[in-house]
Amino acid sequence: MKWHYHLVAFGVVAIWGSTFVFTKMLLQSGLSPAQIFTLRFAIAYVLLLAFELLMQWSSFKARCDTWRDELMMVALGLTGGSLYFLTENAALIYTTATNTSLIVCSCPLFAMLLIAMVYRQNEHFGKTQLFGSLLACLGMAVVVLNGHFVLHLSPVGDLLAFAACFCWAVYSLLMKAATSRYSTIFITRKVFFYGLVTIAPYYIWRPAEAAPSIFLSFDAFTVFNLLFLGVIASMLCFLLWSWIIRKLGAVVATNWVYFNPITTIVFAWWLLHEQITPWFLIGTVCILLGMYLCDRRR
């Protein structure tokens, strides 16, 4: 196994798991989910663009080689950016956090099936890998449910959560194709750009959220949280995630999403003093064993 790639993947997922706490604090300060997404992607895009212009001016690439590839970048910005974040956050309005977590974090199974359908000749998943993915999914469910096996069905909320899940699966599929043609930094910059472009229609529907006065109310703590989400959780993590997909493959990399609830609970235990139960430990073991089996060669 390529342990150093998996270590980086773990670090990325751990940071993404921590964003729940930072996002919650920004929501409490009065920002909407769309505003948080827009600000964090804008910060990441500006910094990444500045880095490319300063350090890689001679090789700077503004557009893709073909218009089909450019449309693929639009789809990446939509499925990995604006549409994913909007559907996930909207799901939380209509259904419980448990339902949303269970559905969204099951996206590796969707990604595996989607990639297997599209790349029938190049991707062959054996019984061990399928069992490993199912075991990791079961472990994720155990961690999220935490011994409380009660689900509340909400058609609208659950459908929105499935939409977010499908978005990330499509993002993983498209990223597999993109990383074979373009550099990591180019793809990441495009994802941020088109994520911002495709979120723009939302502000036509909700113009009050685009008011410039929102920036005048930021205190130092809000700025720090936004910088963490923009620089670390967005720019750095999206760069590393594209690189990880290139090195590990879309299916193995996406399986690390199962680990997301674990990092969220650990941060909640550390910062919010929430209790870690035996169910958490059992689920964690299932996830780790499942990911190990999924990464084994046939």
Side-chain angles (χ1 to χ4, degrees), residues 197-233:
V197 170
T198 53
I199 195 68
Y202 173 86
Y203 291 105
I204 299 175
W205 177 51
R206 301 291 294 270
E209 294 188 22
S213 58
I214 188 69
F215 298 100
L216 301 177
S217 62
F218 289 171
D219 56 20
F221 191 66
T222 300
V223 172
F224 170 80
N225 286 347
L226 286 171
L227 287 175
F228 173 82
L229 292 175
V231 179
I232 306 299

Side-chain angles (χ1 to χ4, degrees), residues 12-70:
V12 171
V13 172
I15 291 172
W16 280 343
S18 73
T19 59
F20 168 79
V21 177
F22 292 92
T23 301
K24 186 174 182 179
M25 288 187 288
L26 287 173
L27 290 170
Q28 291 173 344
S29 69
L31 290 176
S32 71
Q35 289 171 326
I36 295 170
F37 164 78
T38 303
L39 289 169
R40 65 183 285 186
F41 262 47
I43 292 169
Y45 176 73
V46 169
L47 291 177
L48 195 57
L49 179 63
F51 173 81
E52 280 195 276
L53 291 175
L54 290 173
M55 305 300 295
Q56 301 180 358
W57 172 254
S58 59
S59 59
F60 180 80
K61 191 180 185 72
R63 292 178 295 180
C64 294
D65 297 332
T66 66
W67 66 267
R68 284 189 176 87
D69 286 352
E70 196 70 32

Side-chain angles (χ1 to χ4, degrees), residues 156-223:
V156 175
D158 293 343
L159 283 174
L160 286 167
F162 272 115
C165 177
F166 182 73
C167 280
W168 195 258
V170 173
Y171 177 80
S172 301
L173 174 67
L174 294 174
M175 189 61 75
K176 179 178 174 64
T179 53
S180 65
R181 305 177 200 176
Y182 299 96
S183 68
T184 298
I185 193 169
F186 176 81
I187 296 169
T188 307
R189 172 166 53 85
K190 285 291 186 178
V191 169
F192 292 147
F193 176 76
Y194 285 118
L196 292 169
V197 170
T198 53
I199 195 68
Y202 173 86
Y203 291 105
I204 299 175
W205 177 51
R206 301 291 294 270
E209 294 188 22
S213 58
I214 188 69
F215 298 100
L216 301 177
S217 62
F218 289 171
D219 56 20
F221 191 66
T222 300
V223 172

